[in-house]
Amino acid sequence: MTAATHSTLFPGAPGPSQFPAPPQDADAVLDGLDPEQREVATALHGPVCVLAGAGTGKTRAITHRIAYGVRAGILQPSSVLAVTFTNRAAGEMRGRLRQLGAGGVQARTFHSAALRQLQYFWPKAVGGELPRLLERKVQLVAEAGARCRIRLDRNELRDVTSEIEWAKVTQTVPSDYPAAVAKSLRDAPRDPAEIGQIYAMYEQLKRDRSAIDFEDVLLLTVGILQDRHDIADQIRRQYQHFVVDEYQDVSPLQQRLLDLWLGDRDSLCVVGDASQTIYSFTGATPDHLLNFRTRHPGATVVKLVRDYRSTPQVVHLANGLLAQARGRAAEHRLELISQRDPGPEPVFAEYADEPAEAEGTARRIRDLIAAGVPAGEIAVLYRINAQSEVYEQALADAGVPYQLRGAERFFERAEVREAGVALRGAARAGGNDSLLDDAEDLPSQVRAVLSTKGWTTEPPAGSGAVRDRWESLAALVRLAEDFARARPGATLGDLVAELDERAAAQHAPTVQGVTLASLHSAKGLEWDAVFLVGLTEGMMPITYAKTDEQVEEERRLLYVGVTRARLHLTLSWALARSPGGRASRRPTRFLTGLRPGSAAPAARTAGGGAGIERGGAAVAGARRGRRGPVRCRVCGATLTDAGEMKLMRCEDCPSDMDEALYERLREWRSEQAKRLGQPPYCVFTDKTLMAIAETVPATDGELARISGVGARKLDRFGADVLAICAGQDPGEGDAED
């Protein structure tokens, strides 16, 4: 893993070794900067807003700006406070400033800078010692829940703790939390009223025990600066000039603190990119960046768009992603211009199923390593950590070393270890375990055991630790289903042995290896080769992204993933989850018009879009071909995608779907799934429901002609579906086997 813009090959992205000795004078600090970076470096007066695209050398620009001001005698080192969001970024900034001969400048995170001030001024402002700082607030949140008679398991604790953090950085008090959740359309992990109770009790316990948390560090510093003008003046005399990196990630509370540091001055430089706002769930908002010129009408605005990281081919795809974006952040998108020599085109790879996708990715990685690309310069990026298991396995099978970033290895996760213990116990007990009484096959046995550990047929709402735990358990259920399909007659003991073998293979110590990481944890990093995997609807955008803004943040997340690649970029998806499964998935909507063959329906051919490599899908394609061509009912083009064939139209052709009918069908399907104890797709897939909502069948014959409605489902669910299509309430339906 490497820090962003580390390469020494390009003038906009130097590494630490480019200046082994500090520049001789101020003018020498400007050597090697491109025109826009130089404009940033020399804009030392008044408010400055730097809109910096991915890979454009923003850290280089702002560190040279500070160094130029110091070396020219315009800025005193001790009067400058540079603020960023991670200790790693702050350390990198301090190192660069020392190399440029600007040692003595304070480069800190918001929390670090505030804590330093709070520790110094607390005796004067309040008296006595600063309250004890809680390193981890989870234990106190657990006690607060118990005091409120609300039981929280470990994962719920993490989620409720995150909600309290969000409330505090958005300056929401406990009594206002439920209303704030409703207003923000936030998907709370529990009843907002309950979380509000726990939040209030947590604050009370902190007061009783004279303790503060990290959010309090900011809140208390804000309080002191608001109430004690003498202290505020002292800090303002100390710090005359402020620089804020990653300004699109500032929370309302951090902005309030920054305003108090500044006072009525305007010696402020902010740097950010609204198109890289991907942490809104933590309270971050790009509004402060987007409103900067409104708040500071005379601000100098400089745009950095020369991309020194990625090839023109990668940059073209990144620009294409943002060209389709909507919303306020999209209005301020930056059109990047690559400064690198041309490289290979991005590869779009379609696979029959997820294991085939993982194996194909591992093969490509092995080929890259054989061609001379270091394993440490390759990354596999996915939307959620639960996706890592199949790639861990595929890389281990291929003999490729790997390392996980931002997450434990799959078999080291607490919920997976607990599940393994439960499955091992059930395997030993055999027929004596009452849990397995009604389980007829291996997958149903696994589902029965894991239901005691938190697995359910329906995923929990929203994101967070509870959802992460469910995803891990669901991955084990899917693994059991695949194992049973590959080895008919396999027992629970056989599966446990298989899991033990996988765990042993993947626990081998690794050194320099391929990085496996979620898209969120990849922010700020870059590699020579990046594989973006699992790019299907429901995963990208994630299924719980409901609002337009949430969907747009998912698009920005994919943009961040694309812009991590310097040279090689592969984007892939699988049409089915497991081998032999129905090919009902479709590539993410964000690639429409960008992946070959997806732009114009007229360009479609029976062979699929030119430029899309298809792995493991040939047999399925041949089976479809024997039925004869399927034509789009809108434009007449030949359809080859399974999902489009189900809809009888191209993905890009206009839909006449009755949205209200579709929602009624989804609600009905959810009820049926719960009654049957099966996932919703076992009743009807989303594509089948969409096809029903588009055609609105009125008879059994019309319903039977829709792909996905076989004779068995027609007999079981047909009366209900036709009743819903006719605007009537469905009967109870036949929910029994």
Side-chain angles (χ1 to χ4, degrees):
M1 293 174 290
T2 47
T5 58
H6 83 296
S7 172
T8 59
L9 300 176
F10 311 104
S17 61
Q18 178 152 337
F19 293 121
Q24 292 184 345
D25 53 31
D27 288 340
V29 172
L30 303 178
D31 290 347
L33 298 181
D34 68 31
E36 294 78 25
Q37 292 170 344
R38 180 180 285 257
E39 186 178 354
V40 172
T42 55
L44 295 173
H45 300 286
V48 177
C49 179
V50 183
L51 301 175
T56 57
K58 67 179 177 66
T59 304
R60 174 176 172 80
I62 59 176
T63 51
H64 281 66
R65 179 181 188 272
I66 295 170
Y68 178 72
V70 169
R71 299 294 296 274
I74 299 171
L75 303 175
Q76 292 298 315
S78 60
S79 72
V80 180
L81 178 58
V83 188
T84 187
F85 281 82
T86 66
N87 289 320
R88 180 187 65 81
E92 180 186 355
M93 193 176 290
R94 286 193 295 270
R96 293 200 190 196
L97 288 168
R98 281 195 299 270
Q99 291 164 359
L100 293 171
V105 172
Q106 292 291 316
R108 296 180 174 274
T109 65
F110 269 102
H111 284 91
S112 173
L115 180 59
R116 195 161 179 259
Q117 294 172 15
L118 196 61
Q119 289 170 331
Y120 184 82
F121 289 109
W122 185 267
K124 179 178 179 180
V126 181
E129 293 186 0
L130 181 69
R132 174 176 61 92
L133 180 62
L134 291 172
E135 292 294 332
R136 295 179 69 249
K137 56 174 73 74
V138 169
Q139 290 180 334
L140 205 58
V141 173
E143 184 176 342
R147 295 273 185 111
C148 296
R149 300 185 183 279
I150 300 172
R151 185 179 177 281
L152 302 170
D153 65 27
R154 183 178 64 244
N155 293 286
E156 288 176 321
L157 266 177
R158 286 170 55 192
D159 288 343
V160 171
T161 300
S162 296
E163 285 301 294
I164 290 174
E165 291 171 350
W166 173 82
K168 297 184 77 165
V169 301
T170 56
Q171 302 175 85
T172 303
V173 298
S175 59
D176 292 342
Y177 172 79
V181 168
K183 182 178 180 182
S184 66
L185 302 178
R186 192 173 178 83
D187 204 348
R190 286 187 72 104
D191 178 8
E194 288 185 343
I195 296 178
Q197 281 183 282
I198 297 171
Y199 178 14
M201 179 58 69
Y202 167 77
E203 292 297 313
Q204 182 62 51
L205 289 174
K206 282 200 291 97
R207 287 191 294 270
D208 293 345
R209 297 174 189 184
S210 188
I212 59 174
D213 59 29
F214 280 101
E215 289 71 43
D216 290 330
V217 169
L218 301 184
L219 285 163
L220 290 170
T221 305
V222 164
I224 288 175
L225 295 182
Q226 285 180 160
D227 296 341
R228 292 292 300 267
H229 299 294
D230 56 330
I231 293 176
D233 288 341
Q234 190 172 341
I235 290 176
R236 290 166 191 160
R237 285 194 298 272
Q238 168 72 46
Y239 294 118
Q240 305 287 324
H241 190 85
F242 296 86
V243 177
V244 184
D245 194 11
E246 302 288 2
Y247 193 56
Q248 77 277 354
D249 291 332
V250 166
S251 71
L253 179 56
Q254 289 164 332
Q255 180 63 47
R256 181 68 186 130
L257 178 59
L258 179 61
D259 290 339
L260 288 164
W261 281 341
L262 271 170
D264 58 2
R265 300 166 300 169
D266 62 2
S267 189
L268 170 66
C269 174
V270 301
V271 189
D273 179 8
S275 296
Q276 295 189 67
T277 304
I278 58 173
Y279 299 114
S280 67
F281 57 91
T282 67
T285 170
D287 289 348
H288 306 298
L289 176 66
L290 299 177
N291 294 336
F292 191 83
R293 281 170 287 186
T294 302
R295 297 184 64 189
H296 304 278
T300 298
V301 178
V302 183
K303 294 182 180 181
L304 301 183
V305 296
R306 299 175 195 254
D307 187 319
Y308 297 96
R309 176 188 301 160
S310 305
T311 62
Q313 288 76 12
V314 173
V315 168
H316 178 71
L317 179 60
N319 286 337
L321 271 176
L322 290 190
Q324 300 180 15
R326 301 291 180 268
R328 189 154 180 250
E331 295 171 4
H332 297 264
R333 60 180 174 266
L334 300 169
E335 185 86 7
L336 299 178
I337 303 171
S338 175
Q339 305 300 296
R340 293 193 57 161
D341 291 335
E345 290 289 339
V347 174
F348 296 85
E350 182 177 278
Y351 294 92
D353 51 67
E354 287 181 5
E357 183 180 11
E359 290 163 11
T361 300
R363 283 195 303 272
R364 290 173 181 276
I365 289 172
R366 196 171 52 195
D367 292 345
L368 283 174
I369 293 173
V373 179
E377 288 296 345
I378 302 173
V380 178
L381 306 181
Y382 35 74
R383 178 60 181 82
I384 59 173
N385 287 324
Q387 291 173 273
S388 75
E389 191 275 334
V390 68
Y391 293 94
E392 293 178 54
Q393 183 66 41
L395 291 173
D397 291 345
V400 175
Y402 67 87
Q403 55 187 332
L404 267 79
R405 176 179 175 81
E408 296 172 298
R409 294 184 182 191
F410 183 80
F411 286 102
E412 292 175 358
R413 295 171 194 164
E415 62 269 22
V416 175
R417 292 199 304 269
E418 292 171 12
V421 170
L423 291 170
R424 197 170 290 108
R428 283 198 300 266
N432 297 321
D433 192 331
S434 60
L435 267 177
L436 307 181
D437 286 350
D438 298 323
E440 298 178 358
D441 55 17
L442 177 58
S444 59
Q445 290 175 347
V446 172
R447 286 192 288 267
V449 173
L450 297 190
S451 65
T452 68
K453 298 298 176 183
W455 179 82
T456 56
T457 56
E458 286 281 347
S463 57
V466 172
R467 178 67 180 239
D468 290 345
R469 177 185 178 87
W470 184 89
E471 294 283 3
S472 294
L473 297 177
L476 285 174
V477 170
R478 293 194 295 269
L479 195 153
E481 293 168 350
D482 295 342
F483 185 69
R485 191 177 296 108
R487 290 181 54 182
T491 66
L492 193 55
D494 295 331
L495 175 66
V496 168
E498 171 74 9
L499 294 178
D500 288 343
E501 287 181 17
R502 289 185 177 224
Q506 295 177 32
H507 284 177
T510 58
V511 284
Q512 175 80 332
V514 173
T515 297
L516 297 180
S518 70
L519 286 163
H520 279 102
S521 65
K523 177 78 159 56
L525 302 174
E526 61 182 61
W527 296 268
D528 283 344
V530 169
F531 291 80
L532 301 177
V533 299
L535 300 181
T536 60
E537 284 291 312
M539 193 59 72
M540 177 57 65
I542 197 76
T543 184
Y544 46 78
K546 305 292 187 185
T547 67
D548 289 345
E549 182 47 45
Q550 289 168 342
V551 169
E552 285 304 314
E553 183 153 333
E554 293 286 301
R555 187 195 305 275
R556 295 194 294 269
L557 188 58
L558 182 56
Y559 171 79
V560 166
V562 167
T563 56
R564 299 310 94 195
R566 299 192 196 104
L567 182 62
H568 303 282
L569 176 63
T570 299
L571 305 95
S572 64
W573 59 89
L575 297 177
R577 182 185 62 76
S578 55
R582 180 173 294 175
S584 58
R585 293 176 171 177
R586 69 176 188 269
T588 171
R589 70 191 75 171
F590 300 144
L591 295 181
T592 300
L594 301 175
R595 59 183 174 89
S598 67
R604 295 171 182 269
T605 65
I612 297 184
E613 299 187 13
R614 301 183 188 275
V619 175
R623 283 200 300 267
R624 289 195 295 266
R626 284 196 296 270
R627 294 199 313 231
V630 178
R631 304 286 184 183
C632 172
R633 57 188 168 86
V634 179
C635 71
T638 299
L639 301 178
T640 58
D641 177 83
E644 294 180 342
M645 291 168 69
K646 181 166 289 189
L647 292 176
M648 294 296 290
R649 65 169 175 81
C650 301
E651 179 185 328
D652 306 302
C653 283
S655 169
D656 51 0
M657 183 175 72
D658 184 330
E659 295 282 353
L661 173 58
Y662 179 66
E663 289 304 319
R664 289 198 301 275
L665 288 167
R666 281 174 57 87
E667 291 173 5
W668 166 84
R669 181 185 65 173
S670 179
E671 293 171 1
Q672 292 292 324
K674 289 177 182 176
R675 193 172 298 166
L676 291 166
Q678 295 179 342
Y681 65 79
C682 290
V683 179
F684 285 122
T685 65
D686 285 349
K687 272 291 197 310
T688 299
L689 292 189
M690 289 175 66
I692 293 171
E694 288 190 359
T695 57
V696 194
T699 66
D700 283 351
E702 292 175 358
L703 180 58
R705 282 195 289 273
I706 294 174
S707 177
V709 184
R712 184 166 174 268
K713 290 190 177 182
L714 180 65
D715 182 58
R716 175 179 285 188
F717 304 122
D720 278 6
V721 171
L722 291 174
I724 294 170
C725 289
Q728 302 166 0
D729 291 332
E732 287 300 312
D734 181 11
E736 302 297 328
D737 286 319

